[in-house]
Amino acid sequence: MCISSVSPLIHKPDHVSGDSVETNLYILTSGGRRIPASAKILAAASPVLESIIDSPRNRRSSEKNIPILGVPCDAVQVFVSFLYSNRCNEEHLKKYGIHLLALAHVYLVPQLKAQCTKALIGRLTIENVVDVLQLARLCDAPDLHLKCMKLISNRFKSVEQTEGWKFLQNNDPYLELEILKFIDEVESRRKSTRKHLQEQSLYFQLSEAMDCLHHICTEGCTSVGPYDKELSKNRAPCSRYSTCEGLQHSIYHFANCKKRVNGGCVRCKRMWQLFKLHSSICEEPIDSTCKVPLCRLFKTRGKQVKNKKEEARWELLVRKVVAAKAISSLSLAKIKFEQVQHQTASFREAIRYNVNVSVAC
């Protein structure tokens, strides 16, 4: 049982504005403690307490008592202290955070509720997450609720072994179903994100392949180049040689494959599609002399639409590759700009250093 005591607030006038605090009611706790308090201060801090204080029953009573039951006496003491000072230290939040959150919710004290929510989020563990989740749902704490759900989703196998989860399964099947649905949605989003990233990676690879194809057919690389230009024997690999090397092998194969005539070579079909993709994004006019093979042929054929559904899919692919190409260009421009800034800063520093040395001499 809690021992009755006088509120320490009465002995700490710095918590309250004014020279003295009028004690005209008592807070009754489950352990029998009677905490003296000021009706004006409690009413100003909590609309629920204001309603209780102004109720006809308390007005008629010579000694006003407000019971706050179901939580430890010390937690009630800390709660009343917060109503006076609007402050709560970390030790109290750590020890009574769950109880204070419940009191802040019931008595509509948003400042304390925010502090308790933040403290509980920082102290979530595998062992207490289910209990805190139930409290967050009861106390309408959406931030805390979401953090609990994410922790359970990320560490579900460990949470599943706790006593809190076993109790939840036996006593709250609706919350269990809500958690399982959340986990399923998270997994679906993860799969969707992975799929999107894989698609984006493919578009960036195709964009790079288009750049390399144009580079090979106009400037030439290590082993393949334009028909009207002789390659240097000691030509160094380009910056994208990992992609250029594979394209050069494919172009060489495409030029010499005998199965290509009858359409029986998968590798040649892929190269054919790369040539077609280039023609779709090539900005040069039809009557120009683009050095990439088959460019003009595909541009001419593009006007003859046979399968609208297939053509729509192809146009979508072209738009995605063009977008990836634009993003790559912006990223490259940003990198170059940062390099120029760094070089400029280094140059300025060098000039400053030389000037200082000259002055010193």
Side-chain angles (χ1 to χ4, degrees), residues 285-327:
I286 295 178
D287 56 354
S288 67
T289 56
C290 179
K291 292 186 177 182
V292 177
L294 307 175
C295 182
R296 184 174 180 180
L297 175 65
F298 280 120
K299 284 180 179 178
T300 306
R301 284 185 176 181
K303 297 179 180 180
Q304 304 171 359
V305 180
K306 295 181 179 180
N307 188 330
K308 291 184 177 180
K309 190 174 182 180
E310 183 179 346
E311 191 66 22
R313 285 201 300 267
W314 181 260
E315 288 178 358
L316 177 62
L317 173 65
V318 171
R319 287 198 299 271
K320 296 286 188 180
V321 173
V322 169
K325 189 178 180 67
I327 293 171

Side-chain angles (χ1 to χ4, degrees), residues 143-283:
D143 292 343
L144 182 59
H145 185 276
L146 181 60
K147 288 290 184 181
C148 292
M149 295 291 271
K150 286 183 176 180
L151 178 58
I152 293 173
S153 175
N154 294 331
R155 304 289 301 277
F156 182 67
K157 288 185 178 179
S158 300
V159 173
E160 203 175 13
Q161 305 302 319
T162 62
E163 292 299 323
W165 179 261
K166 294 173 184 177
F167 179 85
L168 178 70
Q169 284 183 307
N170 296 328
N171 297 276
D172 197 344
Y174 292 103
L175 181 55
E176 180 189 7
L177 180 61
E178 180 184 340
I179 293 170
L180 295 177
K181 284 183 177 179
F182 180 85
I183 294 172
D184 185 61
E185 289 172 2
V186 168
E187 187 59 32
S188 297
R189 286 195 295 270
R190 285 175 181 167
K191 288 180 179 178
S192 178
T193 302
R194 283 196 295 266
K195 183 180 178 182
H196 176 71
L197 291 175
Q198 289 172 356
E199 289 176 352
Q200 289 299 112
S201 176
L202 173 63
Y203 299 139
F204 281 113
Q205 289 173 13
L206 288 173
S207 170
E208 185 173 336
M210 293 299 98
D211 291 338
C212 291
L213 183 62
H214 186 267
H215 155 68
I216 292 169
C217 296
T218 54
E219 302 171 359
C221 201
T222 54
S223 59
V224 178
Y227 64 90
D228 58 349
K229 185 177 180 180
E230 187 176 350
L231 287 175
S232 174
K233 293 182 180 180
N234 298 323
R235 187 180 180 90
C238 63
S239 59
R240 298 178 178 178
Y241 186 67
S242 58
T243 303
C244 274
E245 184 182 23
L247 270 176
Q248 289 179 93
H249 289 310
S250 296
I251 292 172
Y252 185 81
H253 171 86
F254 182 79
N256 297 280
C257 182
K258 296 180 180 179
K259 293 181 180 180
R260 173 170 57 86
V261 178
N262 299 322
C265 179
V266 176
R267 192 172 177 182
C268 287
K269 286 180 180 178
R270 290 175 182 169
M271 198 64 226
W272 189 271
Q273 289 176 333
L274 288 178
F275 285 135
K276 182 182 177 182
L277 181 59
H278 163 79
S279 71
S280 299
I281 67 174
C282 181
E283 296 179 352

Side-chain angles (χ1 to χ4, degrees), residues 319-335:
R319 287 198 299 271
K320 296 286 188 180
V321 173
V322 169
K325 189 178 180 67
I327 293 171
S328 298
S329 300
L330 289 173
S331 300
L332 184 61
K334 183 180 178 181
I335 292 171

